Amino acid sequence: MSELKALIFDVDGTLADTERDGHRIAFNRAFADAGLDWEWSEALYGELLAVTGGKERIRYYLDGYNPGFERPSDLDGFIAGLHRAKTDHYTKLLAEGEIPLRLGVRRLLETARREGLRLAIATTTTPANVQALLEHALGPASPGWFDVIAAGDVVPAKKPAPDIYDLALAELGLSAADCLAFEDSENGIRSARGAGLGTLVTINEYTRSHDFEGALLVLDHLGEPERPFSALAGDAAGATHVDLALLRVLHRNMSAANA
Ligand code: XBP
Ligand code: MG
């Protein structure tokens, strides 16, 4: 039976609640800069999250929510320009320290590192966004904690396709059976499961009602010793916060079930 060797993390919604008060605000600022009267409300943004990737999300919005917009002849270039401006706004928001890590994330990453588990990231977001979040919320040296940061347009298809997790596994040189993934959304778990990974889910306000079929565990957050998690699905083996002991139990049970 293989031993647990690496943890692979999604970023948006999993390491930090970046969507409502980060990405959404940055999109709206980029739209205003470009003289557009588009305003993505919290509720609308929840619907737009059906599609992963910022450029893809702008196109989805135009197709489904703003079909009357007169499209420039170079629509791809127009969207790419808006998205570049959005990335600038987003990374500035992070540099201002606006977005903290979710509960339990720092503790789990530090423990995993101390105990020799390898760390990786698999996300649809732009690499500059990952870099900025890690540097500002976790610490300037923290991007170096991750052996692999698989992010953005480096794969042909974004989540829910498994490509980004397949890439992270290939770059780690590990098989899915050696790892666990951490996700917050239905698109995310579909991607991780598609790559064959056992997956823990921590929900957030946008993903609470998603379908997490196949998750090892669905929690409200990773928890801390003095701030226990609530388990929404799965067997937490009596644990109150996610630590390596719990992850090893989940991994062992998963390996036994797949044997
Ligand atoms: C996250 C996303 C990202 C961000 C925006 O999905 O969908 O697109 O909202 O990032 P996941 P960019 O957490 O499943 O990876 O604008 O840089 O694409
Ligand atoms: Mg996510």
Side-chain angles (χ1 to χ4, degrees):
M1 194 176 290
S2 76
E3 133 202 18
L4 179 60
K5 298 194 180 82
L7 307 180
I8 311 179
F9 290 84
D10 168 50
V11 173
D12 295 303
T14 300
L15 294 185
D17 270 322
T18 49
E19 294 291 8
R20 190 191 64 191
D21 300 329
H23 290 295
R24 185 183 69 89
I25 304 293
F27 279 115
N28 284 334
R29 288 183 181 168
F31 301 153
D33 289 351
L36 299 165
D37 64 356
W38 309 350
E39 172 76 28
W40 289 0
S41 67
E42 289 181 23
L44 171 61
Y45 195 69
E47 294 181 30
L48 299 177
L49 283 173
V51 167
T52 63
K55 294 185 286 294
E56 293 80 353
R57 190 166 298 140
I58 294 171
R59 191 178 296 273
Y60 178 70
Y61 164 75
L62 284 176
D63 290 345
Y65 296 82
N66 196 350
F69 176 69
E70 198 173 322
R71 298 171 179 226
S73 54
D74 178 15
L75 185 62
D76 286 352
F78 173 71
I79 290 176
L82 280 177
H83 189 254
R84 265 194 305 278
K86 177 260 171 178
T87 300
D88 284 346
H89 281 296
Y90 180 71
T91 50
K92 275 195 197 110
L93 272 171
L94 293 174
E96 287 157 11
E98 296 285 315
I99 306 196
L101 296 175
R102 292 191 65 185
L103 190 71
V105 167
R106 172 182 291 279
R107 174 187 52 75
L108 182 60
L109 291 172
E110 287 178 345
T111 315
R113 223 167 100 71
R114 220 172 25 243
E115 299 210 11
L117 277 189
R118 297 173 68 196
L119 298 174
I121 277 176
T123 175
T124 65
T125 205
T126 303
N129 297 347
V130 184
Q131 194 75 16
L133 180 72
L134 294 177
E135 281 177 7
H136 297 292
L138 189 57
S142 65
W145 297 7
F146 296 85
D147 287 353
V148 171
I149 297 183
D153 294 325
V154 289
V155 286
K158 292 186 176 171
K159 298 176 187 177
D163 304 28
I164 199 74
Y165 277 102
D166 287 337
L167 178 68
L169 287 169
E171 291 192 354
L172 281 168
L174 294 175
S175 79
D178 301 324
C179 308
L180 290 175
F182 293 77
E183 273 290 350
D184 71 303
S185 70
E186 186 169 340
N187 281 328
I189 190 173
R190 284 175 60 195
S191 173
R193 298 288 300 129
L197 285 152
T199 308
L200 266 82
V201 173
T202 47
I203 60 159
N204 58 59
E205 284 314 312
Y206 277 133
T207 66
R208 184 172 290 279
S209 61
H210 286 192
D211 179 359
F212 294 118
E213 177 73 39
L216 295 175
L217 207 50
V218 182
L219 306 171
D220 54 351
H221 49 68
L222 294 174
E224 289 287 7
E226 69 287 1
R227 294 268 314 271
F229 58 59
S230 297
L232 289 85
D235 181 0
T240 57
H241 58 283
V242 175
D243 58 8
L244 296 196
L246 172 59
L247 295 183
R248 290 195 173 108
V249 169
L250 293 171
H251 181 257
R252 205 167 38 242
N253 293 346
M254 175 184 88
S255 306
N258 292 339

